[in-house]
Amino acid sequence: MRCEEAKDLAGPYRDGELAEPAFGTFQAHLAGCAACQERMAEAGDMALTLRLAAREPASIALEARIRAAIATELPAAWSAGRKWRWPGLDPSNWPGFAYGGSLAAVCAASVLVTWLAVRPPADLGAAHDVVAAHMRSLLQDSPVQVASSESHTVRPWFNGRVDFAPAVTDLAGSGFPLAGARLDYVDGRRVAALVYKRRLHVVNVFVWPSSAAGDSAEQLSQVNGYNLLTWRRGGLVYWMASDLNPAEMRDLRSLL
Amino acid sequence: MRPRTRFEQLAMPHLNAAHTLAYWLVRNRADAEDIVQDAYIRALRAFASFRGGDIRPWLLTIVRNAAYRWLSVRQRASNVIPIEDAFSARDPDAKPVLELASDEPSAEARLIGAQDHARVRAALAALTPVFREVLVLREIEELSYADIAMIIETPVGTVMSRLSRARTELRTKLKAMIDKDERHAL
C-alpha cells in the first residue's frame, strides 16, 4: 500500500470504522511508515485538542429551564395525534415511523392512559402550591433572594419577613450546600423557602408554622414528576420539593 | 414509569451534547439555549415515536433540525447581525470571537495551552456548518459513522468523505493561524 492510499484510511482507522481487509492492510503499512505514523499522531493531537476546547456544556439555568418546561408541558399536546409528525424530521428516517399511524396512535393512547392513571393524590392540599413555587423558583434567574451559605446571614434575613424563625444550616459537608433563601407564598400564607443544591439539582425546603399540633412522620408524594416530602416538627410544617430521588431527599430531611 | 419522567431520565444526560451541537451550528450561546429548549420540548412531544436503544442520535437529529430552522430564519432576517459576527467582521482574522466568562478553560484543558484552545475554536468556527457538525459529532460526541449518517441524513460513505474533508480544512485553517501568529511574533 502506498502512502497516498493510506491517507484516506487513516481517519476511519482512528475512528474504529475500518473493516477487514482494509484494516489489516492499513495496519501493516502503518507499522513500517514513519510519515504515516507522524500524520496519525498529529491527527490524534488535533482531535484531542478539539475535544477539550470545543465542548460547550449547558448551563445549570438551561437545565432548570428545560426541566420546568418539561414539567409544565400539557399532556394534551401529546395526544393531539398529529403533533408527533412535526416538520423537519423526516419520518422515513426512523424505522418506527414507517409502520404508519396505527402504531403511533397506540403509543399516543397509552401515553394518555398512563397520564390519566397517574394523578397526584387528592389529599395534598398544599402540594400543588409547593410544586408551583418550586417551579417558579427554577424559572427565575436565581431561586434565592439572599444568596449565602452562611446560616448566620440567612437566618437573620428572615427577621421581620416572616413571623417565625426557621432553623437554617449549611450542609455542604454532607453534600447539600446551602444556596440561600427567599420568601414565597404557599397555602395562602407567606413562607420561608430554603434552597439547597445537590449536584445539579435544586432542592426547595418550604417552612411555615403548623396549624395542627404535634410532630408527624414524613410523607412522600409526586406531582408533575417532582418528588415532595412533607413532615411536621416543632410546630412547623416542612415541604421539600425537588427532582432529586426520594432516597437523597430523605437524607437531607434527616439532616435538617 | 410515566413517559414524561422516562423522557427526562433518558434525555437530560445528553444536554451537554445537545448544547454543544447547537452552539457550534449557530455560534451564539443565547440562541443555542433557545434551540435546545425548543428541541427538547419537540422531542418530548415526539417521544412516543422513539423506539428505544441509544436516545442520542434521535435527540441530536431533533436538535440539529431545530438549529437549521433557526439558521434559515436568521438568513431571511439577515439585517440582524449577531454581535460575534460584527466583531469578527472588523478584522476577519480576529482571534477569539467574544469569549464569555464561561469559556474559561478547565484545569484539565490548561495542559494543552489556552492559546491552542482559542485557535482551535476559531478554526472550527471558520468552517462551514456542514463541516462543523460532523467534527462536533465525531470528535466531541464520539458517535459512530452510522449514527452521524442518521443525524445528518446522508449515507455513511458521505459521512466518511465529509469528515475527511472537514479534518483537512480544520488542519489548514489551524496551520494558517499558527503561521500568522508566528510571523507576528518575529
Side-chain angles (χ1 to χ4, degrees):
Chain A
M1 182 183 274
R2 291 185 332 198
C3 277
E4 272 309 304
E5 299 166 66
K7 251 185 198 168
D8 294 339
L9 301 181
Y13 175 81
R14 230 167 29 80
D15 295 336
E17 300 269 354
L18 200 58
E20 292 289 4
F23 181 86
T25 324
F26 179 82
Q27 209 167 32
H29 172 82
L30 189 64
C33 179
C36 279
Q37 285 170 13
E38 172 85 7
R39 259 200 299 277
M40 201 68 162
E42 192 200 276
D45 285 351
M46 196 169 74
L48 180 66
T49 313
L50 188 63
R51 191 166 303 157
L52 293 171
R55 271 188 212 282
E56 286 290 328
S59 64
I60 293 174
L62 177 64
E63 190 190 337
R65 236 168 77 186
I66 291 177
R67 282 195 196 277
I70 289 172
T72 50
E73 171 73 7
L74 289 176
W78 307 23
S79 54
R82 59 193 160 71
K83 277 261 179 141
W84 53 269
R85 199 190 276 269
W86 47 275
L89 176 63
D90 181 359
S92 65
N93 285 325
W94 300 100
F97 270 121
Y99 297 129
S102 57
L103 180 64
V106 171
C107 293
S110 67
V111 166
L112 185 62
V113 167
T114 317
W115 165 254
L116 290 174
V118 187
R119 282 194 157 170
D123 59 318
L124 298 167
H128 280 278
D129 272 7
V130 167
V131 171
H134 175 67
M135 247 145 58
R136 259 196 318 272
S137 78
L138 299 178
L139 293 169
Q140 311 303 319
D141 290 337
S142 165
V144 296
Q145 286 171 293
V146 52
S148 175
S149 58
E150 278 284 308
S151 56
H152 302 295
T153 307
V154 175
R155 204 161 190 234
W157 183 81
F158 280 116
N159 280 339
R161 289 188 167 88
V162 290
D163 52 1
F164 57 97
V168 180
T169 345
D170 178 32
L171 301 166
S174 314
F176 293 98
L178 179 67
R182 67 168 196 287
L183 292 178
D184 216 309
Y185 197 78
V186 172
D187 205 24
R189 63 157 297 142
R190 197 188 270 229
V191 305
L194 303 175
V195 181
Y196 288 92
K197 292 268 172 84
R198 177 72 159 185
R199 297 184 301 275
L200 292 181
H201 303 271
V202 172
V203 184
N204 267 292
V205 180
F206 301 93
V207 191
W208 65 91
S210 168
S211 49
D215 295 357
S216 80
E218 66 190 28
Q219 200 188 338
L220 182 77
S221 56
Q222 218 187 30
V223 175
N224 286 356
Y226 288 96
N227 292 317
L228 300 177
L229 198 61
T230 182
W231 67 96
R232 217 165 49 227
R233 193 183 62 207
L236 296 172
V237 186
Y238 292 81
W239 278 88
M240 187 189 293
S242 180
D243 53 352
L244 199 61
N245 62 66
E248 285 180 296
M249 285 174 69
R250 287 203 171 93
D251 288 347
L252 176 58
R253 176 240 191 285
S254 67
L255 295 164
L256 286 173
Chain B
M1 191 191 297
R2 286 174 44 197
R4 195 193 299 248
T5 314
R6 184 162 163 67
F7 173 77
E8 223 175 326
Q9 283 184 355
L10 288 176
M12 290 315 277
H14 304 299
L15 197 56
N16 287 342
H19 186 259
T20 300
L21 178 62
Y23 173 82
W24 283 111
L25 282 173
V26 302
R27 286 177 298 156
N28 174 306
R29 283 194 182 80
D31 291 326
E33 294 205 337
D34 287 349
I35 287 164
V36 171
Q37 182 168 357
D38 176 44
Y40 266 65
I41 294 308
R42 284 172 188 273
L44 172 66
R45 288 177 188 163
F47 191 48
S49 72
F50 173 62
R51 288 180 71 241
D54 185 4
I55 198 173
R56 225 161 27 131
W58 182 82
L59 194 63
L60 292 179
T61 306
I62 298 173
V63 172
R64 176 180 178 268
N65 282 325
Y68 273 101
R69 243 193 321 275
W70 185 93
L71 281 174
S72 73
V73 169
R74 188 175 73 163
Q75 216 154 35
R76 280 202 295 277
S78 52
N79 53 332
V80 183
I81 304 164
I83 192 160
E84 296 177 16
D85 288 0
F87 269 86
S88 51
R90 214 174 294 153
D91 171 12
D93 296 319
K95 255 194 303 166
V97 276
L98 192 73
E99 297 289 331
L100 298 179
S102 59
D103 266 353
E104 283 304 310
S106 67
E108 163 191 53
R110 257 177 235 125
L111 297 174
I112 300 259
Q115 186 69 2
D116 290 346
H117 276 207
R119 273 199 201 118
V120 168
R121 289 178 66 90
L124 182 61
L127 300 181
T128 59
V130 286
F131 287 157
R132 279 205 301 265
E133 67 185 6
V134 287
L135 284 173
V136 166
L137 294 173
R138 176 59 224 169
E139 307 290 31
I140 302 176
E141 303 310 331
E142 299 180 77
L143 286 163
S144 70
Y145 288 7
D147 283 346
I148 297 173
M150 200 182 270
I151 294 169
I152 67 171
E153 300 175 34
T154 62
V156 172
T158 310
V159 172
M160 204 180 288
S161 57
R162 199 175 284 176
L163 193 53
S164 167
R165 282 188 58 198
R167 281 168 170 160
T168 309
E169 282 273 307
L170 184 70
R171 192 177 172 281
T172 311
K173 293 250 194 276
L174 201 57
K175 199 162 182 318
M177 285 176 192
I178 292 171
D179 289 349
K180 183 168 173 282
D181 289 351
E182 276 171 3
R183 272 204 313 279
H184 279 282
L186 286 177

